[in-house]
Amino acid sequence: QVQLVESGGGLVQPGGSLRLSCAASGFTLDYYDIGWFRQPPGKEREGVSCFKSSDGSTYYVDSVKGRFTISRDNAKNTVYLQMNRPKPEDTAVYYCAVAESCQSSQDAFGSWGQGTQVIVSS
């Protein structure tokens, strides 16, 4: 069964840090680009970051550049999103999904996980 499972969310203080995990089962992440998305309360889902498997290139939405880092552990078939210096506006449900290309539209991403809630608050 092809599945992505996110974990690591929770309550974090502004300026703290949190690491989200996206574990794949039933397939290997080596052949896909992996994206992190988020849906803030009352807003539409947006792309946050993407890992390009062919060469390890990474992409970030401007609002998280310099604060978030996406990485992949091939041995664990897992992708991470390290969130440093989070801000209250980073509060959202975070999802991971895969696609043939990071440049694909959000609709082209599949195997969505169930999401993990991140709340940034003091």
Side-chain angles (χ1 to χ4, degrees):
Q1 182 182 1
V2 174
Q3 192 176 15
L4 292 173
V5 177
E6 302 95 339
S7 62
L11 175 64
V12 59
Q13 292 188 343
S17 64
L18 198 65
R19 190 178 76 163
L20 306 183
S21 300
C22 170
S25 61
F27 71 106
T28 178
L29 290 173
D30 291 358
Y31 304 113
Y32 298 92
D33 290 356
I34 306 99
W36 278 101
F37 300 81
R38 67 185 180 187
Q39 187 165 19
K43 297 183 179 180
E44 293 187 353
R45 189 168 59 194
E46 63 174 352
V48 176
S49 182
C50 194
F51 186 95
K52 185 178 180 181
S53 289
S54 63
D55 62 6
S57 296
T58 56
Y59 304 93
Y60 301 92
V61 67
D62 285 348
S63 59
V64 308
K65 283 181 180 177
R67 300 188 297 119
F68 291 9
T69 303
I70 189 171
S71 62
R72 187 181 73 185
D73 185 328
N74 293 337
K76 295 183 178 180
N77 208 27
T78 298
V79 170
Y80 302 98
L81 185 68
Q82 178 69 42
M83 303 173 61
N84 294 332
R85 304 189 306 281
K87 302 176 181 179
E89 51 264 42
D90 295 321
T91 294
V93 179
Y94 283 73
Y95 302 88
C96 59
V98 295
E100 291 187 355
S101 171
C102 283
Q103 278 65 47
S104 299
S105 66
Q106 192 174 141
D107 289 343
F109 279 80
S111 300
W112 292 88
Q114 83 290 347
T116 186
Q117 176 76 58
V118 173
I119 298 173
V120 184
S121 175
S122 55

